[in-house]
Amino acid sequence: MRAHIPHTGYAQRAVRALAQRLGVEPSVEAVLEARRRAGPEAGRAHLRDAGVAALLVDTGYPADAMPLSEMRQRLGCAVHEIVRIERCAERLLPQRLPYDEFIDAFRRTLSEAAPGCVAFKSIIAYRSGLDVRAWPERDCAASYAQALAAIPAGGRPRLTEKPLLDRLLEITLEVASQTGRPLQIHAGFGDPDIDLVRANPLLLRSVLEDSRWAETRLVLLHMAYPYVREAAFMTAVWPQVHLDLSLALPFLGPGALFPLLEILSLAPASKLMYGSDVSALPELFALSADWARATLGEALGWLVERDGLDDTVAAAAGRAILSSNARALYGLA
């Protein structure tokens, strides 16, 4: 996709906005050279100007990501960890534990991580789909044996075996319930290895209707795009379901107005949360915040003009979606 990325709306908006801020011509090369000259304080200043108070960071990807301690030092804003469960399991695989010991070690790893993180996260949609179900232990054990056999020599394990992944999600739900941590679940679009049909959040119905998890808070990520209507419906009928608006917001840009209107018209505003899911340059986090604030304001204004909301309720909804809903859900100060 390298040849096509410069022709996407996201790339063009980012280059144009950064070039304007840095006072250079709108090209990738000019922007990168100008920010190198400006130094790290320019990125921190952009974050402050955009009102970015905190980052919630999935530490499971990429493997060589900057440590959170260094991010806190460089960015000057609060940084909180989200633990990716599949990566936790993959770190355990090379130990080649017996199946029962592996399950115990995975549960213990999550329990020990809970005090230091604000949420768990699963990318099971990428690996085997959201149609999660209970499996006999013998199937899970056989699936674990297959995962061990598939470990590449000297390489990084990658879990794809459905019975085992479904069992690990069940354990995560148990730990999330016990520790009060929300569970984020990737839904909707992603990289080419995702089977988009199996990333429809409606496939989680068996989880949502299991009485064991009635109080366990689930966060559908990335607006579940293109399953926007399904995600809005789910937040409207299942009390434990929340919706994160990341990825789709910066990628769609002004075009995010239309799915946002549908979401705001159906979903409780108390269950919606801003997010970016961008990476790399801190300036991109700032730009995403600016764009999202503008698009959200336009959507709320559209509803006010048509008597869907009044000014006071719309302003409160905007503040909640941009900040207070996430603060409450993740227990942020």
Side-chain angles (χ1 to χ4, degrees):
M1 291 295 294
R2 183 178 294 274
H4 303 284
I5 289 172
H7 303 283
T8 63
Y10 172 71
Q12 292 177 11
R13 288 191 308 276
V15 170
R16 187 170 62 247
L18 291 176
Q20 183 176 7
R21 184 177 177 93
L22 293 167
V24 297
E25 66 178 56
S27 72
V28 172
E29 294 77 14
V31 165
L32 293 178
E33 177 57 31
R35 71 179 300 276
R36 278 192 289 267
R37 290 197 306 268
E41 175 54 34
R44 288 195 293 269
H46 200 173
L47 284 173
R48 288 195 301 269
D49 293 345
V52 176
L55 300 180
L56 277 63
V57 180
D58 171 5
T59 52
Y61 180 85
D64 58 350
M66 180 182 291
L68 296 189
S69 58
E70 187 174 351
M71 290 184 68
R72 294 184 182 105
Q73 183 179 21
R74 288 178 177 240
L75 300 181
C77 64
V79 179
H80 304 281
E81 182 177 16
I82 296 171
V83 171
R84 183 182 291 210
I85 69 165
E86 288 81 11
R87 188 68 189 113
C88 290
E90 288 165 351
R91 291 192 187 103
L92 292 170
L93 283 179
Q95 298 181 32
R96 298 184 179 276
L97 300 168
Y99 171 71
D100 290 342
E101 292 182 22
F102 168 79
I103 291 298
D104 289 343
F106 177 73
R107 181 183 284 106
R108 185 169 57 252
T109 298
L110 295 188
S111 298
E112 292 173 353
C117 73
V118 296
F120 299 115
K121 175 181 176 179
S122 173
I123 55 164
I124 196 169
Y126 269 99
R127 303 301 180 81
S128 58
L130 296 178
D131 50 334
V132 177
R133 68 181 181 90
W135 294 82
E137 281 296 282
R138 64 178 181 277
D139 291 345
C140 296
S143 182
Y144 174 65
Q146 292 170 358
L148 292 182
I151 296 176
R156 176 178 169 180
R158 186 177 188 276
L159 279 172
T160 59
E161 292 74 18
K162 183 169 178 55
L164 180 60
L165 286 166
D166 286 1
R167 177 71 177 117
L168 295 179
L169 188 73
E170 182 180 36
I171 293 170
T172 304
L173 287 164
E174 293 173 3
V175 175
S177 178
Q178 294 163 359
T179 60
R181 293 293 180 269
L183 172 58
Q184 296 184 341
I185 299 180
H186 182 108
F189 72 152
D191 294 328
D193 55 344
I194 201 166
D195 183 346
L196 191 56
V197 173
R198 300 177 74 183
N200 186 331
L202 284 178
L203 295 173
L204 291 167
R205 182 167 182 167
S206 62
V207 172
L208 297 174
E209 296 190 340
D210 189 323
S211 60
R212 293 177 297 169
W213 322 127
E215 304 297 323
T216 306
R217 297 162 297 168
L218 303 181
V219 184
L220 304 178
L221 296 179
H222 313 321
M223 211 184 281
Y225 189 86
Y227 301 111
V228 171
R229 293 169 177 167
E230 290 86 343
F233 158 75
M234 292 171 71
T235 65
V237 298
W238 279 291
Q240 70 269 46
V241 177
H242 302 256
L243 181 60
D244 155 275
L245 305 175
S246 66
L247 195 59
L249 272 177
F251 276 23
L252 294 176
L257 171 65
F258 305 105
L260 263 181
L261 286 172
E262 292 203 51
I263 291 171
L264 290 166
S265 298
L266 178 58
S270 56
K271 300 172 91 180
L272 305 176
M273 292 172 291
Y274 164 74
S276 67
D277 202 56
V278 297
S279 60
L281 308 185
E283 291 89 342
L284 295 179
F285 292 95
L287 287 180
S288 179
D290 288 337
W291 296 337
R293 190 178 289 111
T295 306
L296 178 61
E298 185 177 1
L300 290 168
W302 190 95
L303 291 170
V304 169
E305 290 171 2
R306 288 154 182 81
D307 202 29
L309 300 171
D310 65 31
D311 288 336
T312 302
V313 171
R319 288 191 296 270
I321 293 167
L322 292 170
S323 179
S324 59
N325 287 346
R327 290 183 182 278
L329 183 74
Y330 297 113
L332 308 181

